[in-house]
Amino acid sequence: MPPALSKPHLPAAFMASVQAAPCMAGYKSAVFEEDAHDHRVACCNWSAPRAPDLQFCYGPQSNRAMLGFTVEAKRTTLHLAALEGDVLAACELIRLGATVDAADSRGLTPLSLAVAHMSTCKNPQTPHPPAAKRDVAMTFLRLAYVSRILIQQHANVHIKYDDIPILEIACSIQNWELIELLLQHGAKPLNEYLSYFDSRAERARFISLRSSYASSIRPARLCRCWSGKPLAECHGAAAQRYPEDFICACGSKKTYKRCCHARSHFIIEKWDEGLQRIMPHFTTTSPAYSRMGKDVDPKKLNILDQLAQEISAAAGLPLPSAPSADKISRIVMETLELLASRGLVDLAFLYAYRQIGSIPQPRARAYSEHLALERQSKWNEAVDEYIQQGNDPRPRFEIERAAKIGKWQGALIRMCEGAGCTNVEGVGGIKLQMCGKCKIAVYCSVGCQRSAWTTHKALCCSEDQHEQMLPSQANIVKASSTVMGNAPAFTDNLIRQGQLLTGQLPKS
Ligand SMILES: [Zn+2]
Ligand SMILES: [Zn+2]
Ligand SMILES: [Zn+2]
Ligand SMILES: [Zn+2]
C-alpha cells in the first residue's frame, strides 16, 4: 500500500470553496499527488527546509519541456501551477512561501504566464478540435481564477509578456473581469488599448472603468494563509497558531497535532516582512495564553487552548493574539543580562541566548527528538563561537561545562546526583549511570544512587522531573518562578471562567 499522503496546507473551507467553482469540476489538482506531499514535507523541515521556490518540483512530467519548463528557463513550481490553472497548487505554494513574482530567465512571472495562456486559449494558432473545446473553455476559466489569486496577492500588474503589458492582453481578449481587476490593482491603461474594442459601448465601458479606478489605492493584500483576511489584519498583525492538521514544522513528517503540539511544544506563525513569507516559530507556551509565563502546567494550557477556540468560535471573535514577540524577547533579554551581572547566568550562556533567541529548558524528553537535536547543535555551536572569540580566560572545559547543553536541553556535562557527591562526568575517568527507572537522574556509583534514593524516589518518573540543568538554567527558573508564582491559580480561575461561558459548569 502506498504511504498515506498529507493534506494540503490550506484551510478546509477555503479548499472546498475553490473546488466548488464550476471550472474545477473534474479537475484534479496536483496538491493531492505524491510530488506535492513530498514538497510539503520537505518545506516543513526546521533544520533544512526546502527552498519554496524550487524549480518545478511537481506537476505533469511528460510535457514540461514543451511548456517551457527546462532547467535553463529557471521557472518555479508556482510558474507551473499558474500555467496549468491549478488554483489549489498555486495557493498552497504561496502558503509554503513561494515568491509570487518569481521571474524566469525571460523575466516572466507566474501571472504573466497565466494571462498569456488565457490569450492562447482564446486565439489558438491552430483551431481546437470540437471535442477539446470544452476543456479549453474550462482551462481558460481556471487561468482567470489563478490570475485573480495572484493579483490579489499583489503580483506585479505592470508585467509584460513578449513586450505586451498584461492589461493590453486582457483588452485584446476582452475579458472584463480581468480588465477591471488589473485597473483596480493599478495597471496603467493606455489610450491605444481602445482599439481592441469594436463597439462604442465597449470603449465607453473601458473609459468609465479607467476613470473610476484612476486615483483609487490598491486593495489590501490578502494573507497568504488564505484566511480571507487582509495580511495586515492576520499574520501581518500578530502571531497566529500553526494549524494542527498541518505537517509539523520540526521536520518529523508527522502532523503537528500528533507531534510537537501533543508535547506542548507550540508553533506560532508570523509574517516576516524581510523574507516576504509566513514563518513558523517554536514556543513552549500556548499561543493563546503565552502572557501567563512559562511554568504553567502544559495540560491545563491545552484545555485552555481548546476552550479559547470554542469560545471564540461561538462568539464569532478572533482568538486573542499573543503579546508581541519583540516585547517578550526584550523582557527576557533584560532579565538575562541582569542575572548575568549578578553572576547567576554564565556569560557563554548569555552569548548563546543572544544568537539563538530562546532559552533551552530540559523537560524530561517532552520534545520531538529531531527538534531537540537541532536545537542542541545550534546552541552548542554558539558556545563554540564564544570560546573561539577568546575573550574568556577560563579553560574550554569550564566554559563548556557552564554553557553547553545535552540532547534533551539540560547540562551536557553533568555531575553525579548522589547526596554530597561532586564528581563530574568525564573528569578523572568518571562515568555516570542513569537511574534504571526514570533514566534521567545520573550517578557515579551504586553507593551514590542509594544515598540519593530517599529524596529521588518522590521525583523519579514524576511530572516535575527533568534532566539535570546547567546552573544558569536553574537560576533562570528560580527567577521566573518568583515572577510567575501565582500563575497556576490564575489558570484555574480562567478554566473555570471558560467552563462557565461554554455551559460546562452550572452557574452557582
Ligand atoms: Zn493569515
Ligand atoms: Zn514536531
Ligand atoms: Zn557520586
Ligand atoms: Zn529515577
Side-chain angles (χ1 to χ4, degrees):
M1 214 176 84
L5 301 183
S6 53
K7 286 197 286 184
H9 280 195
L10 293 168
F14 174 78
M15 271 203 342
S17 79
V18 171
Q19 288 178 294
C23 61
M24 294 297 162
Y27 180 75
K28 188 155 188 265
S29 166
V31 293
F32 301 110
E33 316 224 323
E34 202 172 335
D35 289 343
H37 163 83
D38 291 343
H39 183 56
R40 188 177 301 132
V41 166
C43 287
C44 294
N45 186 343
W46 187 252
S47 46
R50 176 185 277 184
D53 283 327
L54 198 78
Q55 289 191 21
F56 47 95
C57 54
Y58 64 81
Q61 308 275 339
S62 52
N63 55 352
R64 272 181 193 165
M66 198 185 82
L67 291 169
F69 286 81
T70 57
V71 175
E72 305 76 49
K74 294 200 161 65
R75 287 181 174 177
T76 66
T77 315
L78 185 56
H79 279 98
L80 188 63
L83 192 65
E84 290 276 316
D86 191 337
V87 178
L88 286 181
C91 291
E92 191 187 18
L93 289 164
I94 290 169
R95 176 67 168 100
L96 291 169
T99 306
V100 168
D101 272 329
D104 73 0
S105 60
R106 288 162 61 198
L108 300 174
T109 63
L111 177 61
S112 65
L113 285 189
V115 174
H117 194 28
M118 281 172 78
S119 168
T120 51
C121 284
K122 276 272 164 198
N123 310 302
Q125 282 170 340
T126 50
H128 299 298
K133 275 224 167 83
R134 200 187 115 82
D135 282 352
V136 174
M138 298 284 263
T139 305
F140 180 85
L141 291 173
R142 290 202 319 272
L143 290 165
Y145 199 154
V146 115
S147 304
R148 186 166 73 236
I149 290 280
L150 291 165
I151 294 167
Q152 286 170 338
Q153 283 301 327
H154 281 199
N156 177 8
V157 290
H158 309 296
I159 196 81
K160 296 172 180 178
Y161 186 91
D162 280 350
D163 253 356
I164 308 170
I166 52 172
L167 177 57
E168 182 171 352
I169 299 174
C171 291
S172 74
I173 56 172
Q174 281 134 47
N175 189 280
W176 289 102
E177 190 209 334
L178 187 58
I179 292 171
E180 177 160 6
L181 195 65
L182 285 169
L183 287 172
Q184 197 186 5
H185 282 261
K188 294 262 172 312
L190 300 183
N191 269 330
E192 63 213 57
Y193 299 169
L194 284 169
S195 65
Y196 289 107
F197 306 110
D198 297 330
S199 71
R200 182 186 297 245
E202 284 174 325
R203 286 194 289 274
R205 186 175 178 183
F206 184 73
I207 290 166
S208 132
L209 279 177
R210 183 171 71 179
S211 60
S212 66
Y213 292 117
S215 54
S216 66
I217 41 170
R218 188 168 195 179
R221 192 201 307 188
L222 295 179
C223 190
R224 294 187 176 182
C225 72
W226 306 105
S227 62
K229 286 187 268 186
L231 173 63
E233 290 168 26
C234 194
H235 284 83
Q240 310 281 325
R241 62 180 65 241
Y242 188 72
E244 286 177 34
D245 54 348
F246 279 20
I247 297 286
C248 193
C250 74
S252 66
K253 303 181 183 179
K254 286 188 263 189
T255 60
Y256 171 46
K257 189 185 184 134
R258 291 180 51 214
C259 184
C260 290
H261 188 273
R263 300 179 174 99
S264 298
H265 207 84
F266 299 105
I267 306 174
I268 52 169
E269 290 183 296
K270 218 181 162 209
W271 175 250
D272 187 313
E273 189 59 32
L275 294 171
Q276 289 286 299
R277 55 183 287 209
I278 296 171
M279 292 296 286
H281 302 273
F282 281 91
T283 160
T284 44
T285 46
S286 155
Y289 290 92
S290 51
R291 68 181 66 86
M292 292 197 309
K294 303 207 166 197
D295 294 302
V296 183
D297 179 359
K299 283 201 188 108
K300 284 183 185 166
L301 284 175
N302 265 333
I303 298 168
L304 274 176
D305 256 13
Q306 279 162 19
L307 277 170
Q309 274 178 28
E310 278 171 30
I311 294 167
S312 55
L317 294 170
L319 274 171
S321 53
S324 94
D326 287 353
K327 191 171 173 195
I328 294 178
S329 64
R330 207 171 48 240
I331 293 170
V332 173
M333 182 59 86
E334 281 166 10
T335 312
L336 290 197
E337 277 166 357
L338 185 74
L339 292 173
S341 73
R342 293 180 186 168
L344 294 171
V345 162
D346 192 86
L347 290 176
F349 187 94
L350 182 67
Y351 178 88
Y353 173 75
R354 285 209 178 99
Q355 313 305 310
I356 306 298
S358 67
I359 301 168
Q361 240 182 308
R363 292 171 61 217
R365 293 164 208 196
Y367 295 104
S368 142
E369 188 170 0
H370 188 95
L371 187 67
L373 279 169
E374 170 59 22
R375 299 195 134 197
Q376 183 202 10
S377 83
K378 286 222 170 103
W379 182 271
N380 291 348
E381 267 169 34
V383 175
D384 282 331
E385 209 176 276
Y386 172 85
I387 296 170
Q388 214 100 65
Q389 291 176 353
N391 300 323
D392 193 322
R394 289 178 293 174
R396 168 176 272 271
F397 182 78
E398 276 314 303
I399 302 174
E400 287 182 336
R401 197 185 149 193
K404 280 202 171 172
I405 59 169
K407 173 165 143 189
W408 299 111
Q409 321 288 294
L412 176 68
I413 300 159
R414 294 167 296 184
M415 277 176 72
C416 170
E417 293 176 37
C421 182
T422 54
N423 278 339
V424 174
E425 194 170 15
V427 176
I430 294 290
K431 280 195 187 122
L432 298 180
Q433 285 183 346
M434 295 180 292
C435 164
K437 227 173 138 197
C438 62
K439 305 206 164 46
I440 289 179
V442 283
Y443 306 100
C444 69
S445 64
V446 178
C448 273
Q449 175 163 23
R450 285 212 186 104
S451 75
W453 182 243
T454 38
T455 45
H456 178 64
K457 74 180 169 207
L459 205 60
C460 187
C461 297
S462 77
E463 288 204 3
D464 296 332
Q465 200 185 8
H466 54 72
E467 289 80 4
Q468 195 176 119
M469 286 187 178
L470 293 167
S472 297
Q473 290 176 307
N475 289 332
I476 291 166
V477 168
K478 220 184 278 169
S480 63
S481 66
T482 51
V483 180
M484 300 299 174
N486 56 358
F490 181 43
T491 321
D492 288 339
N493 195 26
L494 252 171
I495 289 177
R496 241 181 66 80
Q497 294 290 333
Q499 287 172 325
L500 280 171
L501 270 167
T502 50
Q504 291 177 28
L505 256 188
K507 286 196 182 88
S508 55

